[in-house]
């Protein structure tokens, strides 16, 4: 009950303090009281977490230490330690309340406020001791003889018994402080000082009277207010210092009602206008120095401008000191001062022009002034303006140090500053697979015009900076960043300041070359370590060489015996009309068995691409363009190796693999001639045409295979290995491999330049197939066709298709002859051979002529090999090209 009574009393005070309800409104007052009581009784809020409060206090102490407020952190710790013996159950709540009430304690806390808490009130000291009190305590006042003034003049003895008239005055003079209102007690020095101050004030007022003088004379005729040379010089120096003056307005324009005494108006106007022009040219610097900047990059530039203006102010102050307190005779000359200030103002004019451009340009980048400074430094050096060159060069490197901070963080840690809009690297917001980190996780920012979002003078080095940072990111994923960090710490970073980059003995060297050489050395100190470490890891720990060798064996068929084993197994299934070659498990088993000795078998798999049109077993057996291109081999590389050999490159490997497989299939079919035909003159003539066409096709197929292996794949493979070994970083390795894929695609006639030849050949082949299909259907539906022959042919074809699992030898030449005879019995065999020979010659002329034509019209590296391929093809066939079959 005592608790409830105490709670009720506290609630009454709370209601009275928060809601001042009149006494007459009892119902409203009781309702508020009941609501507050019910809320407090049945509240669901838990007590303050004392551990969280302790952690926050420790974190606040640590934050004080981090930002350099060690004294404040020590004071906080002392008071927490002093509070520890006095803790109770409400201590966490009190501390939590104080933490919630804290408003920016790092910036606003002052140790002097703590002194006010512990400082004791000053006790009233004893009253000041005076001569009157001393006289009263010691009885001096009663001993009047002490204060008697003895007059040693004759006749003084007559007045000895008379009271001294000056006694009271003498006593009062010792016991009473002098009054400030009574002039009797003021010294002569005080009187002299007051008199001198009045005169000095009068002199100052007279000297400044020209500021308030009227510009008219007694006859109300307008005239100029005369001023002296010191007055004009003082106003000029104030104006150059950015102060308010009477001779110049806020825009540094001269006020026309004044004129230099003894000088004509035209001469004065020229002189004062020249000084006004100096002030106007310096005005952008004064405005920019007072402007509030948010970007750190522009803040450091503003600081450099303020330092330059401070140096000018010191120079102006030294001139004023020399004239105000001269140590020797000085002649006040405006022209002399103007000539003295000219060399010091010239660099500031260039700096002011840069500031003016930065302020006037809209939507400019924060690093825009760096580009302007870079150009201005080079121009000043070429013009021989040493003062401007040194000033702007120093400012440029001071500002460039700030721009180097995100570059250093990126190249050493692989990190980007959050919210940084000045850096030229951006990170993808989504998390990508590891093989795509190098290419897609980070990007170079570009403007709407397509230019890099970076200063122009850094663009030649952007690639190396970008590569170094990505190398660090990849090393972190490899957990190899610590070794790289230790190398960074061991190396010494080259200095990037004006004194180091542009020493005094290098004035004739162009600034652009000096900066490029110094910045290249700075980048190399960071890029070389990361790039070298990542490159060595790719070769040593992640099997880049082994993966590349596997791709060469599998896709480029560098090992002929293993490639023949794989190809012969596929061809055997095709010749037997077996559909098992379409099964991915069978294909994978064939591939792993064939390449087991040169690759890691578990990484290799094979399948048939089901996205294309499905072809029958007979069609796949009869054409190299159907069935074989659907075979896909897949060799899984480790994710770091996939950075160098991406998925797009595997498509190029697959293209070369399909082309070589088709060439091997053509050679395999042509190497089994048709035998068993009856011997006769007509048959011998037909066989001669057959063997002539077969010889041409064999030469064509063997020439293509030889060309690919000896002139395309072998030299390009050797060149790729050399370039990979000489590559400086991963980007160079990626570019070398991409160039290798592009070269073998183009040189093997699979590139876009030769697509018209492929399209024309495919169209002609399609038309021939359509014609043969129409001829077959016409023969099958002809009434003159023997039904028995048709039925026999159909039964034979059905038997062959149903025999999928038989591993027999390819069908004999007799069966092929019977098939050809049964399909088209009306057209003589010799005529068919003659038509086929004509088709071959027509296609051959088109291909050879196309190769030569494209080679002459192209400037690519592959053009010479295209012309060489055409010559190789024609060399073995031209003696039979125009031969007439017997």
């Amino acid at each position: 009950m005592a608790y409830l009574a105490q709670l009720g009393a506290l609630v009454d005070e709370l209601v009275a303090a928060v809601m001042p309800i009149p006494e007459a409104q009892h119902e409203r007052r009781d309702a508020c009281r009941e609501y507050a009581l019910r809320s407090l009784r049945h509240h669901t809020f838990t007590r303050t977490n004392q551990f969280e409060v302790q952690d926050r206090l420790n974190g606040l102490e640590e934050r004080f230490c981090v930002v350099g407020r060690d004294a404040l952190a020590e004071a906080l710790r002392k008071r927490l330690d002093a509070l520890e013996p006095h803790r109770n159950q409400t201590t966490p709540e009190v501390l939590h309340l104080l933490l919630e009430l804290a408003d920016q304690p790092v910036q606003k806390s002052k140790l002097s406020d703590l002194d006010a808490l512990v400082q004791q009130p000053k006790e009233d000291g004893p009253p000041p001791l005076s001569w009157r009190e001393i006289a009263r305590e010691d009885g001096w006042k009663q001993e009047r003889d002490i204060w008697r003034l003895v007059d040693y003049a004759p006749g003084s003895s007559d007045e000895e018994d008379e009271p001294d008239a000056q006694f009271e005055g003498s006593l009062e003079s010792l016991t009473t402080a002098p009054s400030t209102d009574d002039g009797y007690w003021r010294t002569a020095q005080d009187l002299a000082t007051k008199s001198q101050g009045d005169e000095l004030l009068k002199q100052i007022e007279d000297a400044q009277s020209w500021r308030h003088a009227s510009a008219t004379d007694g006859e109300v005729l307008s005239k100029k207010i005369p001023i002296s040379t010191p007055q004009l010089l003082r106003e000029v120096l104030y104006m150059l210092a950015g102060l308010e003056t009477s001779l110049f307005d806020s825009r540094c324009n001269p006020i026309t009602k004044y004129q230099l005494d003894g000088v004509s108006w035209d001469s004065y106007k020229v002189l004062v206008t020249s000084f006004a022009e100096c002030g106007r040219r310096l005005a952008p610097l004064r405005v920019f120095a007072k402007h509030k900047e948010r970007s750190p990059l522009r803040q450091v530039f503003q600081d450099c401008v303020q330092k330059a203006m401070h140096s000018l102010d010191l120079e102006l102050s030294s001139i004023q000191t020399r004239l105000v307190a001269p140590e020797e005779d000085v002649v006040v000359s405006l022209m002399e001062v103007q000539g003295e200030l000219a060399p010091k103002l010239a660099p500031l004019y260039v700096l002011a022009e840069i500031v003016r451009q930065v302020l006037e340009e809209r939507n400019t980048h924060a690093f825009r002034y760096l580009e302007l400074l870079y150009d201005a430094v080079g121009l000043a050096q070429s013009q021989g303006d040493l003062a401007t060159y040194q000033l702007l060069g120093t400012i440029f490197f001071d500002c460039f140090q700030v721009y180097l901070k995100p570059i250093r963080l990126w190249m050493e840690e692989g990190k980007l500053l959050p919210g940084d809009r000045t850096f030229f690297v951006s990170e993808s917001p989504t998390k990508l697979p590891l093989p795509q980190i190098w290419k897609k996780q980070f990007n170079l920012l570009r403007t709407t015009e397509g230019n890099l979002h970076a200063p122009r003078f850094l663009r030649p080095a952007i690639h190396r900076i970008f590569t170094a940072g990505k190398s660090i990111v990849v090393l972190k994923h490899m957990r190899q960043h610590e070794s790289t960090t230790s190398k960074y710490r061991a190396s010494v970073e080259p200095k990037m300041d004006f004194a180091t980059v542009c020493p005094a003995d290098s004035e004739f060297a162009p600034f652009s070359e000096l900066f490029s050489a110094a910045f290249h050395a700075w980048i190399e100190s960071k890029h070389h370590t990361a790039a070298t470490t990542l490159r060595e890891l790719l070769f040593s720990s992640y099997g880049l060489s082994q993966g590349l060798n596997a791709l060469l064996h599998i896709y480029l068929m560098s090992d002929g015996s293993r490639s023949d084993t794989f190809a012969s197994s596929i061809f055997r299934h095709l010749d037997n009309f077996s559909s098992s070659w379409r099964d991915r498990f069978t294909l994978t088993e064939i591939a792993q068995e064939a390449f087991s000795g040169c690759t890691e078998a578990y990484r290799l798999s094979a399948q048939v691409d089901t996205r294309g049109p499905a072809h029958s077993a007979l069609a796949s057996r009869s054409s190299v363009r159907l069935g074989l291109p659907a075979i896909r081999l897949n060799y899984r590389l480790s994710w770091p190796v996939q950075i160098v050999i991406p998925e797009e490159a595997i498509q190029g490997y697959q293209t070369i693999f399909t082309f070589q497989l088709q060439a091997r299939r053509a050679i395999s079919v042509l190497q089994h001639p048709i035998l068993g035909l009856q011997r006769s003159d007509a048959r011998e003539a037909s066989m001669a045409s057959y063997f002539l066409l077969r010889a041409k096709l064999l030469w064509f197929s063997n020439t293509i295979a030889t060309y690919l292996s000896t002139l395309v794949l072998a030299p390009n493979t050797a060149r790729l290995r050399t370039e990979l070994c000489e590559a400086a970083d991963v980007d160079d390795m990626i570019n070398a491999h991409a160039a290798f894929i592009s070269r073998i695609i183009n040189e093997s006639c699979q590139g876009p330049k030769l697509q018209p030849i492929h399209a024309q050949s495919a169209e002609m082949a399609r038309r021939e197939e359509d014609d043969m299909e129409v001829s077959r259907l016409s023969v099958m539906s002809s009434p003159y066709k023997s039904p028995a022959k048709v039925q026999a042919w159909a039964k034979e074809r059905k038997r062959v298709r149903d025999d999928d699992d038989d591993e027999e030898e390819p069908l004999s030449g007799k069966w092929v002859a019977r098939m050809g005879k049964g399909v088209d019995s009306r057209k003589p065999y010799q005529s068919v051979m003659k038509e086929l020979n004509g088709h071959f010659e027509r296609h051959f002329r088109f291909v050879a002529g196309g190769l030569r034509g494209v080679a002459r019209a192209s400037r690519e590296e592959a053009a010479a090999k295209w012309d060489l391929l055409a010559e190789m093809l024609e060399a073995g066939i031209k003696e039979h090209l125009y031969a007439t079959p017997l």
Side-chain angles (χ1 to χ4, degrees):
M1 297 298 292
Y3 169 73
L4 293 178
Q6 184 180 5
L7 181 62
L10 293 175
V11 170
D12 291 338
E13 294 181 5
L14 177 64
V15 172
V18 176
M19 301 184 64
I21 302 175
E23 294 291 340
Q25 299 180 5
H26 297 288
E27 296 180 357
R28 184 181 177 189
R29 190 184 189 92
D30 293 340
C32 293
R33 182 177 183 277
E34 290 298 328
Y35 177 78
L37 275 173
R38 189 166 49 253
S39 300
L40 292 174
R41 287 174 184 172
H42 304 289
H43 73 88
T44 57
F45 304 105
T46 59
R47 292 189 59 191
T48 301
N49 188 347
Q50 57 181 347
F51 302 105
E52 181 182 357
V53 172
Q54 188 65 30
D55 291 341
R56 290 182 62 181
L57 290 172
N58 294 336
L60 188 61
E61 179 186 359
E62 183 179 356
R63 186 178 180 186
F64 287 157
C65 294
V66 170
V67 298
R69 304 291 301 275
D70 294 333
L72 190 60
E74 185 178 355
L76 176 61
R77 173 47 55 190
K78 287 182 179 179
R79 280 148 183 83
L80 289 176
D81 295 340
L83 179 64
E84 194 65 29
H86 307 283
R87 280 182 173 269
N88 53 33
Q89 60 181 359
T90 61
T91 301
E93 281 77 5
V94 175
L95 294 177
H96 182 263
L97 177 61
L98 294 177
L99 287 173
E100 293 297 326
L101 294 177
D103 181 20
Q104 298 181 358
V106 176
Q107 291 81 10
K108 297 183 178 181
S109 297
K110 299 179 181 178
L111 289 175
S112 58
D113 297 338
L114 297 176
D115 299 335
L117 294 176
V118 299
Q119 185 176 5
Q120 299 294 333
K122 293 183 178 180
E123 298 181 356
D124 295 337
L129 187 63
S130 62
W131 286 109
R132 179 182 294 275
E133 295 178 353
I134 296 175
R136 185 183 300 113
E137 291 179 358
D138 295 343
W140 294 354
K141 189 174 183 180
Q142 288 74 17
E143 297 179 4
R144 295 180 176 272
D145 294 340
I146 298 177
W147 308 107
R148 184 182 302 276
L149 297 177
V150 180
D151 189 4
Y152 295 98
S156 60
S157 59
D158 298 337
E159 301 176 357
E160 289 181 356
D161 296 333
E162 297 180 0
D164 190 357
Q166 298 180 353
F167 172 77
E168 296 293 335
S170 301
L171 184 60
E172 292 294 331
S173 65
L174 293 175
T175 59
T176 305
S179 174
T180 57
D181 295 333
D182 190 359
Y184 177 80
W185 299 108
R186 293 173 183 170
T187 63
Q189 184 178 2
D190 295 336
L191 297 176
T193 303
K194 184 174 185 306
S195 176
Q196 185 179 2
D198 292 340
E199 294 178 0
L200 182 60
L201 179 61
K202 186 65 171 61
Q203 293 177 4
I204 294 175
E205 291 177 351
D206 294 341
Q208 301 298 326
S209 62
W210 62 272
R211 300 180 187 273
H212 310 286
S214 175
T216 58
D217 58 3
E219 300 178 356
V220 198
L221 296 176
S222 62
K223 68 174 184 179
K224 307 297 181 182
I225 299 176
I227 56 176
S228 64
T229 299
Q231 292 171 348
L232 176 58
L233 179 58
R234 180 174 59 248
E235 293 292 300
V236 166
L237 294 178
Y238 286 170
M239 181 267 298
L240 293 179
L243 304 176
E244 294 183 2
T245 62
S246 299
L247 294 183
F248 302 91
D249 59 13
S250 59
R251 296 184 178 181
C252 300
N253 295 318
I255 298 177
T256 58
K257 69 178 182 179
Y258 298 99
Q259 182 178 351
L260 188 62
D261 190 17
V263 178
S264 65
W265 169 250
D266 294 336
S267 300
Y268 169 77
K269 183 178 180 181
V270 172
L271 180 62
V272 76
T273 302
S274 63
F275 282 112
E277 180 64 21
C278 297
R280 281 193 294 270
R281 297 179 69 175
L282 294 177
L285 296 178
R286 299 288 183 185
V287 173
F288 182 73
K290 298 177 181 179
H291 190 266
K292 186 176 181 180
E293 296 292 341
R294 298 182 180 273
S295 172
L297 201 57
R298 299 189 69 166
Q299 286 176 350
V300 66
F301 182 48
Q302 185 182 47
D303 182 67
C304 293
V305 171
Q306 292 174 352
K307 290 180 180 179
M309 298 309 296
H310 180 65
S311 299
L312 175 63
D313 294 341
L314 292 179
E315 185 66 25
L316 297 176
S317 300
S318 65
I319 295 177
Q320 295 177 13
T321 303
R322 188 173 68 247
L323 297 179
V324 171
E327 297 179 356
E328 57 184 8
D329 295 339
V330 177
V331 177
V332 179
S333 173
L334 292 170
M335 300 302 296
E336 181 181 358
V337 172
Q338 187 177 30
E340 182 180 353
L341 290 176
K344 299 176 177 60
L345 294 177
L348 297 178
Y349 294 157
V350 182
L351 183 61
E353 181 64 20
I354 294 174
V355 171
R356 185 189 63 80
Q357 295 185 39
V358 172
L359 295 178
E360 291 181 356
E361 292 181 359
R362 295 183 178 180
N363 300 325
T364 183
H365 303 301
F367 53 79
R368 171 58 178 162
Y369 74 90
L370 283 176
E371 298 178 339
L372 298 176
L373 281 173
Y374 182 85
D375 298 337
V377 172
L379 181 61
Q381 185 194 32
S382 62
Q383 293 176 348
D385 190 352
L386 187 58
T388 304
Y389 173 63
Q390 292 178 348
L391 175 64
L392 298 185
T394 304
I395 294 177
F396 170 78
F397 281 101
D398 290 344
C399 298
F400 188 65
Q401 290 296 329
V402 177
Y403 192 78
L404 278 180
K405 290 183 178 179
I407 298 179
R408 183 184 292 107
L409 181 64
W410 169 251
M411 298 185 70
E412 292 183 356
E413 300 293 336
K415 296 181 181 178
L416 299 176
L417 293 175
D420 187 8
R421 299 182 179 180
T422 61
F423 198 42
F424 48 82
V425 179
S426 65
E427 185 176 3
S428 175
T430 59
K431 188 176 181 180
L432 299 176
L434 291 178
Q436 299 180 10
I437 288 178
W438 187 273
K439 189 173 183 181
K440 298 182 180 179
Q441 185 69 40
F442 300 95
N443 299 294
L444 291 175
L445 291 179
R446 295 186 179 274
T447 61
T448 55
E449 295 81 10
N451 300 323
L452 284 173
H453 181 73
R456 292 193 306 270
F457 55 85
L458 291 185
R459 289 176 185 174
I462 292 297
H463 168 73
R464 301 180 69 82
I465 297 174
F466 189 45
T467 302
K470 290 192 296 183
S471 300
I472 295 298
V473 173
V474 174
L475 287 173
K476 284 185 176 181
H477 286 283
M478 293 178 176
R479 304 185 184 279
Q480 298 290 336
H481 178 55
E482 294 299 330
S483 60
T484 309
T485 305
S486 61
K487 293 181 181 179
Y488 282 146
R489 294 171 181 172
S491 61
V492 178
E493 178 181 304
K495 291 184 178 180
M496 288 295 295
D497 54 11
F498 183 77
T500 304
V501 178
C502 305
D505 56 349
S506 61
E507 298 177 359
F508 296 101
F511 174 74
S512 58
E513 294 185 4
L514 294 174
F515 176 81
S516 298
F519 191 59
H520 176 76
W522 189 87
I523 291 178
E524 193 65 23
S525 65
K526 304 179 180 301
H527 171 270
H528 179 73
T529 303
T532 304
T533 303
L534 180 57
R535 179 178 169 278
E536 292 176 353
L537 288 173
L538 285 175
F539 279 105
S540 61
S541 302
Y542 291 92
L544 176 59
S545 299
Q546 292 80 355
L548 183 61
N549 290 333
L551 296 179
L552 298 180
H553 281 87
I554 295 171
Y555 292 100
L556 304 189
M557 300 183 179
S558 59
D559 191 334
S561 62
R562 300 182 185 278
S563 302
D564 285 338
T565 302
F566 172 75
S568 61
S569 299
I570 300 296
F571 299 158
R572 185 166 58 253
H573 284 77
L574 288 174
D575 292 337
N576 293 331
F577 293 94
S578 175
S579 62
S580 60
W581 71 276
R582 291 180 174 274
D583 181 56
R584 62 187 182 94
F585 295 104
T586 303
L587 275 178
T588 300
E589 182 180 358
I590 294 174
Q592 290 181 354
E593 183 178 352
F595 299 104
S596 60
C598 58
T599 61
E600 297 178 356
Y602 68 92
R603 294 181 179 271
L604 179 61
S605 62
Q607 62 181 358
V608 174
D609 191 1
T610 58
R611 292 174 296 180
H615 302 285
S616 63
L618 181 61
S620 299
R621 177 186 182 277
S622 303
S623 175
V624 297
R625 296 186 298 106
L626 305 178
L628 294 181
I631 298 177
R632 293 286 186 269
L633 297 181
N634 182 27
Y635 187 78
R636 295 186 299 275
L637 300 169
S638 60
W639 73 264
V641 177
Q642 291 184 45
I643 294 176
V644 181
I645 307 176
E647 186 65 26
E648 298 81 8
I650 301 299
Q651 298 298 326
Y653 280 108
Q654 182 67 42
T655 300
I656 302 300
F657 166 76
T658 300
F659 191 26
Q660 290 194 100
L661 189 62
Q662 289 173 329
R664 287 177 178 269
R665 174 60 177 166
I667 295 173
S668 175
V669 172
L670 291 172
Q671 285 178 347
H672 297 84
I674 299 177
L675 303 175
L677 296 178
Q678 296 179 359
R679 187 174 183 81
S680 65
D681 295 339
R683 290 297 182 183
E684 290 181 359
S686 300
M687 293 304 295
S689 300
Y690 163 76
F691 282 111
L692 176 61
L693 180 60
R694 175 177 174 272
K696 293 180 181 180
L697 291 172
L698 273 174
W699 173 260
F700 183 84
S701 301
N702 284 315
T703 301
I704 292 295
T706 304
Y707 169 77
L708 289 176
S709 61
T710 59
L711 297 180
V712 176
L713 301 181
N716 282 300
T717 300
R719 179 177 175 182
L720 172 64
R721 295 182 186 277
T722 303
E723 291 178 349
L724 290 178
C725 293
E726 296 177 352
D729 51 40
V730 174
D731 265 343
D732 291 344
M733 299 170 71
I734 294 174
N735 294 334
H737 187 267
F740 164 73
I741 295 296
S742 178
R743 286 197 305 270
I744 62 175
I745 290 292
N746 290 331
E747 293 177 7
S748 61
C749 307
Q750 303 298 312
K753 289 286 186 180
L754 298 179
Q755 282 300 320
I757 298 178
H758 288 276
Q760 181 68 16
S761 301
E763 179 65 20
M764 295 175 67
R766 187 187 62 81
R767 291 179 181 178
E768 292 177 3
E769 289 182 359
D770 292 344
D771 294 342
M772 292 179 63
E773 183 68 15
V774 171
S775 176
R776 185 184 66 81
L777 293 176
S778 64
V779 171
M780 295 293 294
S781 61
S782 173
Y784 304 100
K785 174 73 176 170
S786 172
K789 291 184 177 180
V790 174
Q791 293 176 3
W793 179 80
K795 290 180 181 180
E796 183 70 15
R797 184 176 181 184
K798 183 178 183 301
R799 183 187 67 79
V800 173
R801 286 185 175 179
D802 294 340
D803 193 10
D804 293 338
D805 300 328
D806 294 343
E807 297 293 337
E808 299 178 355
E809 293 296 327
L811 297 179
S812 63
K814 294 182 179 181
W815 186 89
V816 177
R818 289 197 303 268
M819 289 289 293
K821 182 178 179 181
V823 172
D824 194 358
S825 60
R826 296 180 303 170
K827 184 177 291 187
Y829 184 79
Q830 186 175 2
S831 299
V832 175
M833 290 294 102
K834 186 175 181 180
E835 290 180 5
L836 293 176
N837 189 69
H839 291 328
F840 173 79
E841 292 178 1
R842 185 167 61 255
H843 284 294
F844 181 80
R845 290 193 186 95
F846 176 76
V847 171
L851 286 172
R852 291 189 181 277
V854 175
R856 294 189 185 98
S858 178
R859 296 182 180 180
E860 295 186 6
E861 184 180 356
K865 294 191 177 181
W866 294 338
D867 189 74
L868 182 60
L869 175 60
E871 185 176 351
M872 291 172 61
L873 292 173
E874 292 177 349
I877 300 178
K878 63 182 179 180
E879 60 182 6
H880 304 289
L881 193 59
Y882 302 102
T884 302
L886 299 176

